[in-house]
Amino acid sequence: MKNLLKDRSHWLEVWARFRTGNQLAFSEIYEEFIDRLMAYGSKITRDRELVKDCIQDIFIDLYRLQPDLRNPEYIEFYLFKSLKNSIVRKAQKDKKLKSLSEEEMIVFDLNIDVDRDVFDLESDQLRIERLKSIVQTLDPQKRELLFLKFNSEMNYNEIGQLLNINPDAAKKQVYRLLDQIREKYGVQLLELFVILKKG
Amino acid sequence: MTPLEQQFIENPLFLRWVYHNNPVVEKYWEQYLDEHPLEKEDALAFKGRLRELKFSDDILDPEEKSQISANILSQINREMQRKSRLTIVRSLLRYAAVAIFFFCIGGLQVYLFMNKHNQIPQFASESFKVPSSSKGPTLITSKGESVDLQSSSSTLDYTRNGEIVLNEDSIMASSPDQANQLNQLVIPYGNQSKIVLSDNTVVWLNAGSRLFYPTSFKNKTREVTLFGEAYFEVSKNTEMPFIVKTSTMDIQVLGTIFNVSAYAEDNVVQTVLKEGSVSIRRKDAGFFENDIVIKPNQMATFNKTTSDTKIYEVDAEYYTLWTKGLISFEEIDFKRIIQKIERFYNIKVDFSDLNKEAIRISGKLDLKRSRKEVMEYLEKVSLSKFVQVNENLYVIE
């Protein structure tokens, strides 16, 4: 059961196999992470082609560096970090973006996935809009924090490193953000209820 | 957040359940909530709340993916060649990748194929999930030229010295092999091909397979390497044994008719013998381990996970029907049948209910009929439904 879950310990084991030169481990890493890297990268920048180039590069680098990976970082952290660095480095070569700092460059677009299993497209329209606007008003770093927390198995130490904040702050912010979202969302639902009653 | 919610949010499996659920994770939580009934209500409520915060992801389409994997592979190949040159110079390693082959792929599976008896290990990508956009059968000659064989079922004939006859009419000049370089015949999904080797051995290659072979056999043995499935009619030559190499085992024969199914994605390698005799040797067999010898109408299976070898009595006819566009099965897992169909029609079929994979089915399918007819037949016998998701993807419900 443990292995089927593909959890952190599973990837540690795959990572170890890869470092001993196991080619199938490389394939497994590729198959698992290609989509997840795209999901992450395309939020950092809107330049899709740039993200594709960077993903390609980090897999080639991974293969090339294989024998030197003696000090294992958690695979997910290693790949996400490499991708982010690669995108920022490449984007900095772009004239228009050159003057921007790393923080300014990262747009971190987040859109709510309007899934029919979760939302009723007709009756939930207002809720969806509100949720979207709440997420959009967060600053990019907070959006990235939520994304990483929800969509990876990285710990706060690793997430903190990716965002340049300390691990405790990362953890506190996650809790605060979730409380905030619940609060705002709740208040707005209450308002809605009041409006409906008045109507 | 309540302490319980904090506990959930710090559990990666909880977040997986909310955002990237799969049957294994679902089972885990079913069991967990059965054992912790007091947490159930809160867990489900929290899950529901978090679920609304699922973010939409940009995804790569299959073509973009195969482009990326091709770029990675070619870059890696270049690196490998460079490295191998270095190693030869330094004489540090016993082997070097001299012949490098790759074929572009949906998923990327690189596999280092090494054989201690062979001075040239081949760097081959074992599994090639060929995307729907891929071309028909391709011949990659020992000189590295790539020839598109044009029709989805083609015949290559090497028996005429110095010439290769394609589909009984067009003729190509064949050049002598460069030292230790091999020809490669690549058959994508949705195609089949027949090839007559220089010794008159006839090989039918099934969909999703490839065969490495020399233009003419010059060594003491006649050796070919197979990924995928092929049916062999080996011409008799007791002086020169014929050896089929696969990633997990070598099959040695003198003159005989047999079928080998060794797809990378299948966990079991099957060898079925129709006439003559064959002996099979596992690649990692110990020094004292005997070869496995099978008789006509026997099948040897090798399980890649458990390394178990078993011998069954079978009707060999059943396993060679595919060369005539038929597949036949007796008490075979539904999943295995679906794999065959996927290869034949170059489609992808997923099971929504994993229990259905193990249904056992007997019968015969004529694959020359339309995809739709074949599926209708399978729907009847398996009591399930094929739902088409897009042009090449189906889900069985």
Side-chain angles (χ1 to χ4, degrees):
Chain A
M1 181 132 186
K2 199 82 187 159
N3 245 357
L4 286 173
L5 284 171
K6 297 209 167 179
D7 57 6
R8 218 176 146 111
S9 65
H10 170 74
W11 289 110
L12 277 178
E13 185 263 324
V14 173
W15 209 208
R17 265 197 289 132
F18 173 64
R19 280 183 295 118
T20 60
N22 184 310
Q23 306 287 330
L24 289 173
F26 182 72
S27 312
E28 186 173 350
I29 294 168
Y30 175 87
E31 301 272 354
E32 171 75 18
F33 286 100
I34 176 101
D35 290 327
R36 299 182 50 194
L37 287 168
M38 187 65 198
Y40 181 49
S42 57
K43 292 181 177 61
I44 296 177
T45 171
R46 288 172 194 146
D47 187 343
R48 197 183 154 88
E49 291 305 311
L50 177 83
V51 177
K52 278 160 61 181
D53 283 351
C54 292
I55 290 177
Q56 192 174 306
D57 288 352
I58 67 169
F59 276 108
I60 294 166
D61 278 349
L62 177 67
Y63 192 89
R64 190 183 289 148
L65 295 174
Q66 179 190 323
D68 298 329
L69 291 169
R70 266 167 238 140
N71 181 26
E73 281 172 326
Y74 178 46
I75 197 164
E76 206 169 17
F77 173 62
Y78 171 86
L79 292 172
F80 276 38
K81 185 183 63 175
S82 306
L83 180 64
K84 190 175 180 180
N85 288 343
S86 173
I87 290 175
V88 170
R89 237 180 298 127
K90 276 220 172 92
Q92 266 163 350
K93 288 185 189 145
D94 189 308
K95 285 189 203 104
K96 276 173 278 167
L97 298 169
K98 211 171 183 178
S99 55
L100 299 178
S101 71
E102 183 180 327
E103 275 76 27
E104 287 167 321
M105 202 180 316
I106 296 172
V107 291
F108 225 84
D109 286 324
L110 268 193
N111 291 308
I112 297 291
D113 179 18
V114 186
D115 186 334
R116 277 154 208 247
D117 291 344
V118 180
F119 298 102
D120 180 326
L121 287 188
E122 276 175 32
S123 63
D124 287 340
Q125 205 50 48
L126 253 137
R127 281 171 72 207
I128 297 168
E129 290 310 317
R130 294 220 149 120
L131 204 51
K132 277 185 179 168
S133 83
I134 292 171
V135 171
Q136 268 150 19
T137 51
L138 296 173
D139 65 59
Q141 197 197 45
K142 295 205 170 85
R143 292 201 291 257
E144 187 173 353
L145 174 65
L146 279 186
F147 173 80
L148 291 172
K149 178 65 193 165
F150 290 169
N151 296 286
S152 82
E153 283 197 28
M154 286 188 272
N155 58 35
Y156 287 115
N157 204 346
E158 291 157 345
I159 293 178
Q161 279 188 59
L162 272 174
L163 296 170
N164 276 326
I165 54 178
N166 79 46
D168 281 344
K171 183 173 180 174
K172 277 190 197 125
Q173 270 193 29
V174 168
Y175 291 9
R176 206 178 306 135
L177 281 170
L178 283 177
D179 282 339
Q180 268 174 19
I181 290 171
R182 185 200 323 232
E183 228 167 76
K184 278 195 190 160
Y185 199 44
V187 169
Q188 281 168 337
L189 282 180
L190 201 68
E191 279 169 8
L192 182 68
F193 183 68
V194 175
I195 294 165
L196 285 177
K197 268 218 151 165
K198 277 186 185 163
Chain B
M1 289 207 296
T2 66
L4 187 62
E5 285 172 347
Q6 293 187 4
Q7 183 196 316
F8 284 140
I9 204 157
E10 296 315 336
N11 182 350
L13 275 182
F14 188 82
L15 293 171
R16 196 91 75 77
W17 190 38
V18 178
Y19 297 114
H20 305 280
N21 202 6
N22 67 39
V24 184
V25 174
E26 183 67 37
K27 253 235 154 79
Y28 172 89
W29 283 100
E30 261 171 38
Q31 203 177 336
Y32 178 90
L33 293 179
D34 276 349
E35 287 162 14
H36 304 82
L38 293 176
E39 294 176 17
K40 189 163 184 171
E41 199 181 320
D42 287 343
L44 290 173
F46 192 46
K47 182 191 178 200
R49 206 150 62 76
L50 285 181
R51 184 65 183 74
E52 294 191 337
L53 283 171
K54 186 176 168 71
F55 307 125
S56 54
D57 291 329
D58 194 352
I59 52 168
L60 294 163
D61 62 48
E63 240 139 75
E64 288 176 307
K65 265 195 203 175
S66 68
Q67 187 56 47
I68 290 178
S69 61
N71 292 347
I72 295 172
L73 266 183
S74 72
Q75 185 68 33
I76 288 176
N77 275 339
R78 238 174 283 150
E79 299 269 325
M80 287 286 289
Q81 269 171 328
R82 195 174 51 81
K83 262 190 206 159
S84 71
R85 252 175 256 135
L86 280 176
T87 45
I88 292 167
V89 173
R90 292 187 200 147
S91 312
L92 284 180
L93 288 180
R94 282 166 303 167
Y95 44 80
V98 178
I100 292 174
F101 308 99
F102 71 90
F103 188 80
C104 169
I105 322 178
L108 176 76
Q109 293 227 337
V110 189
Y111 171 78
L112 189 61
F113 178 74
M114 276 192 314
N115 180 341
K116 288 183 194 105
H117 313 295
N118 190 345
Q119 295 83 357
I120 30 159
Q122 291 146 8
F123 185 72
S125 84
E126 190 185 12
S127 150
F128 41 114
K129 300 168 194 156
V130 182
S132 50
S133 59
S134 70
K135 290 181 294 190
T138 307
L139 167 69
I140 300 168
T141 67
S142 52
K143 282 161 72 189
E145 292 161 341
S146 170
V147 183
D148 183 359
L149 300 186
Q150 284 148 4
S151 96
S152 66
S153 62
S154 53
T155 307
L156 274 179
D157 186 348
Y158 277 83
T159 52
R160 289 209 244 169
N161 209 2
E163 285 173 353
I164 309 169
V165 183
L166 171 62
N167 299 333
E168 291 165 5
D169 51 359
S170 65
I171 292 171
M172 291 177 281
S174 79
S175 51
D177 295 334
Q178 314 273 330
N180 291 328
Q181 299 277 7
L182 298 171
N183 301 294
Q184 184 187 169
L185 184 56
V186 181
I187 316 296
Y189 292 134
N191 295 273
Q192 287 188 7
S193 198
K194 179 177 152 187
I195 175 168
V196 186
L197 300 174
S198 58
D199 65 337
N200 274 315
T201 291
V202 185
V203 187
W204 277 265
L205 276 164
N206 207 348
S209 303
R210 86 172 93 184
L211 185 75
F212 293 86
Y213 58 94
T215 305
S216 62
F217 295 105
K218 294 208 173 65
N219 301 331
K220 283 179 197 144
T221 53
R222 296 172 282 169
E223 289 186 8
V224 299
T225 301
L226 170 72
F227 297 99
E229 180 165 20
Y231 169 71
F232 292 87
E233 283 180 16
V234 178
S235 67
K236 199 155 191 169
N237 182 345
T238 43
E239 309 280 293
M240 267 170 93
F242 191 94
I243 299 175
V244 179
K245 300 186 163 223
T246 74
S247 62
T248 46
M249 54 181 49
D250 292 348
I251 300 149
Q252 176 162 343
V253 302
L254 297 171
T256 185
I257 301 177
F258 64 106
N259 189 75
V260 181
S261 171
Y263 285 104
E265 64 273 28
D266 290 353
N267 196 35
V268 176
V269 179
Q270 292 182 341
T271 308
V272 177
L273 183 62
K274 203 166 155 190
E275 283 175 39
S277 83
V278 300
S279 67
I280 301 164
R281 183 161 188 85
R282 271 174 43 203
K283 277 255 148 77
D284 54 354
F287 191 68
F288 297 104
E289 192 172 309
N290 289 329
D291 291 358
I292 302 143
V293 178
I294 54 172
K295 292 185 239 149
N297 286 319
Q298 285 189 333
M299 168 169 77
T301 64
F302 172 73
N303 185 312
K304 290 186 201 166
T305 316
T306 61
S307 288
D308 271 353
T309 311
K310 286 194 181 123
I311 295 179
Y312 299 93
E313 302 293 328
V314 297
D315 182 351
E317 200 66 39
Y318 276 119
Y319 293 87
T320 54
L321 281 169
W322 63 264
T323 58
K324 303 178 185 82
L326 295 169
I327 54 171
S328 174
F329 32 83
E330 258 182 309
E331 295 275 299
I332 304 281
D333 286 357
F334 196 20
K335 186 174 179 204
R336 199 157 168 110
I337 295 166
I338 290 300
Q339 283 172 338
K340 281 188 195 277
I341 298 204
E342 285 179 327
R343 285 175 200 132
F344 193 87
Y345 293 114
N346 196 9
I347 53 173
K348 177 99 187 67
V349 183
D350 287 333
F351 284 87
S352 69
D353 177 1
L354 297 179
N355 294 323
K356 290 232 151 128
E357 290 186 355
I359 300 175
R360 293 188 154 254
I361 295 176
S362 301
K364 204 183 267 187
L365 283 178
D366 184 352
L367 296 178
K368 289 191 292 296
R369 286 172 186 272
S370 73
R371 215 193 260 194
K372 192 161 161 275
E373 279 177 282
V374 167
M375 285 183 181
E376 278 167 5
Y377 175 81
L378 281 174
E379 282 180 340
K380 266 185 225 146
V381 294
S382 66
L383 302 175
S384 47
K385 188 126 192 66
F386 284 74
V387 179
Q388 182 156 19
V389 181
N390 60 37
E391 198 196 334
N392 291 308
L393 178 65
Y394 294 80
V395 173
I396 293 178
E397 287 175 350

